[in-house]
Amino acid sequence: MPTMATLAQLGAAQGLMLVFAVLSVGHGNRAANRVLALFIGVLSLRLFLLALEYQSFHAERFNVAVFSLLHLSYAIGPLLFFYVRLLTVPENRLALRDAWHFLPIPLAALLMLPGGPVLPLDLSGYNHFNALPDEIRTRVILASTPVFLSLGIYSSLCLRMLKRYHRSIRERFSALESINLDWLRMLVWFCLTIASFSFFGELYRAFALLDIGPRSAYSVVFSVALIYYMGLRGLRQPLIFDQSEGAAVAAGLPEMQGQPELGEHGEKYQKSGLGDEQMESIWRKLQACMESAAPYLQPGIKLADIARMVGTRANYLSQTINSRAGESFFDYINRHRVEYAKTLLLSEPDMTVSEVALRAGFNSQNVFNGHFKKRVGKTPTQFRKLKVYTKQ
């Protein structure tokens, strides 16, 4: 098992460096950064302990005291959950009542004590895991699977929070590239993959009693990949360790506080108090504003900005757009941008696609191309060529 031990050690070392990198960030959402550092730290400690286990074939005895630290793995799921929560709902800070999420750690430690219900024997005569009797090995494996089940449950909860966050920002912002937390969604999916493969792999090992490789091999491989993924993203995009902008977004603008949550099946704003006549008035004012001031041409225009121009509350404007246009603020603004861009593409043949994108209010040509292709079914270049050819 030297290869697995080396891999785990490399992952643990990389994780330790990431912990210092995260803690060195002196601005942004510090509470979230501290939780992220704990998450990486516990993951790295688990890798280090598993590396010791892989090397224990040459040890004189199975060190129960050292390997009991593996029960800290039960903290990985809750820490991921709290990190996502602090980024998407930063006003919901950690409190003493959240400590119950970590209760499985002492419970697992008590259950796994030598002479207890899981290990009813003295382990001092065994120098590694595979030397244990089959029945005890099966018990140990089954007792370790709740760690992966816990991580899977918490990862699913994180994905639900991120989905709600993404739905919320689409109602408030016209550009999402820097605040959509896509990298965090990928990280959570990574954790869910680790949990799934490890859980079912260990169950198969326990019931089949087959040697399918080192214990927790799936967990080690995916955990090392996760740590290196975070390291690479940190080098390419420092915002991975400083989500101050995303946290400010998640906190919500003053005008949006108290806006009802959007339902899964379209039930919206049931308690907003906005009547049909008032909604119609806001809709007319919005259309007039879009025609006269063209606010959609401003890159990064926000719902609150247009609400001030129209003279209404942001949540009322959001409800009006959803009801009258049948789409989110994000889609509403970008639809106007695409229509304006179509006009520019035909009326300004010498203007490059990149210049058209910026003139229409998009932050980049790539973002513009994506929106244009989605709505028109063609790229801007294809659209321009087709129209020119049709005229000829």
Side-chain angles (χ1 to χ4, degrees), residues 67-358:
F67 292 113
S68 64
L69 292 174
L70 279 171
H71 300 311
L72 289 174
S73 300
Y74 280 98
I76 294 175
L79 288 172
L80 177 66
F81 173 79
F82 290 133
Y83 179 60
V84 174
R85 194 178 77 177
L86 284 169
L87 287 184
T88 59
V89 194
E91 68 273 14
N92 195 351
R93 295 192 172 277
L94 294 179
L96 187 60
R97 63 179 180 273
D98 294 316
W100 70 266
H101 289 272
F102 301 97
L103 283 178
I105 298 175
L107 290 176
L110 290 173
L111 289 173
M112 295 288 285
L113 283 174
V118 178
L119 300 174
L121 76 168
D122 182 11
L123 298 181
S124 59
Y126 302 93
N127 66 340
H128 57 83
F129 173 76
N130 286 336
L132 295 170
D134 287 347
E135 180 185 355
I136 301 302
R137 284 170 54 196
T138 300
R139 288 190 181 190
V140 172
I141 293 171
L142 290 177
S144 67
T145 53
V147 170
F148 307 120
L149 183 61
S150 169
L151 179 58
I153 292 173
Y154 278 106
S155 297
S156 299
L157 292 174
C158 290
L159 289 174
R160 183 179 178 183
M161 277 193 293
L162 288 169
K163 181 179 179 180
R164 188 162 53 239
Y165 168 83
H166 193 264
R167 189 169 62 238
S168 176
I169 61 176
R170 287 178 70 90
E171 296 294 339
R172 308 183 190 190
F173 298 87
S174 62
L176 310 180
E177 299 79 47
S178 62
I179 60 174
N180 56 21
L181 299 183
D182 279 349
W183 67 267
L184 183 56
R185 186 182 293 105
M186 182 65 71
L187 186 151
V188 175
W189 274 111
F190 231 135
C191 291
L192 187 58
T193 302
I194 292 172
S196 301
F197 273 87
S198 300
F199 178 76
F200 290 108
E202 292 303 292
L203 282 182
Y204 181 77
R205 183 195 301 274
F207 290 110
L209 287 177
L210 296 177
D211 187 6
I212 55 175
R215 193 167 78 91
S216 300
Y218 295 118
S219 173
V220 169
V221 172
F222 283 114
S223 296
V224 171
L226 174 63
I227 286 177
Y228 273 90
Y229 165 78
M230 296 175 68
L232 291 173
R233 287 303 305 264
L235 292 174
R236 291 175 53 193
Q237 180 182 329
L239 279 175
I240 191 170
F241 298 141
D242 177 18
Q243 289 296 328
S244 55
E245 183 179 8
V249 169
L253 299 169
E255 295 89 342
M256 292 294 290
Q257 296 296 331
Q259 174 173 321
E261 182 69 37
L262 299 184
E264 290 289 346
H265 304 289
E267 310 89 10
K268 304 177 182 181
Y269 312 103
Q270 293 179 353
K271 299 180 181 179
S272 69
L274 181 62
D276 290 339
E277 291 185 4
Q278 188 177 2
M279 183 183 295
E280 184 61 30
S281 174
I282 294 173
W283 180 243
R284 288 197 301 268
K285 291 179 181 178
L286 174 62
Q287 289 180 307
C289 176
M290 297 294 280
E291 292 177 6
S292 61
Y296 52 86
L297 298 181
Q298 302 177 33
I301 188 75
K302 302 179 182 66
L303 178 71
D305 299 331
I306 297 183
R308 282 190 287 270
M309 298 171 68
V310 174
T312 187
R313 293 170 57 181
N315 62 320
Y316 284 179
L317 180 59
S318 178
Q319 179 179 355
T320 299
I321 293 173
N322 274 257
S323 299
R324 290 293 188 264
E327 56 190 352
S328 66
F329 172 76
F330 173 80
D331 292 323
Y332 177 76
I333 291 296
N334 285 297
R335 174 165 59 82
H336 280 78
R337 288 172 174 168
V338 168
E339 291 300 320
Y340 182 77
K342 287 166 65 177
T343 302
L344 285 181
L345 286 169
L346 301 180
S347 63
E348 302 289 345
D350 295 330
M351 187 178 292
T352 66
V353 173
S354 179
E355 290 172 334
V356 169
L358 297 177

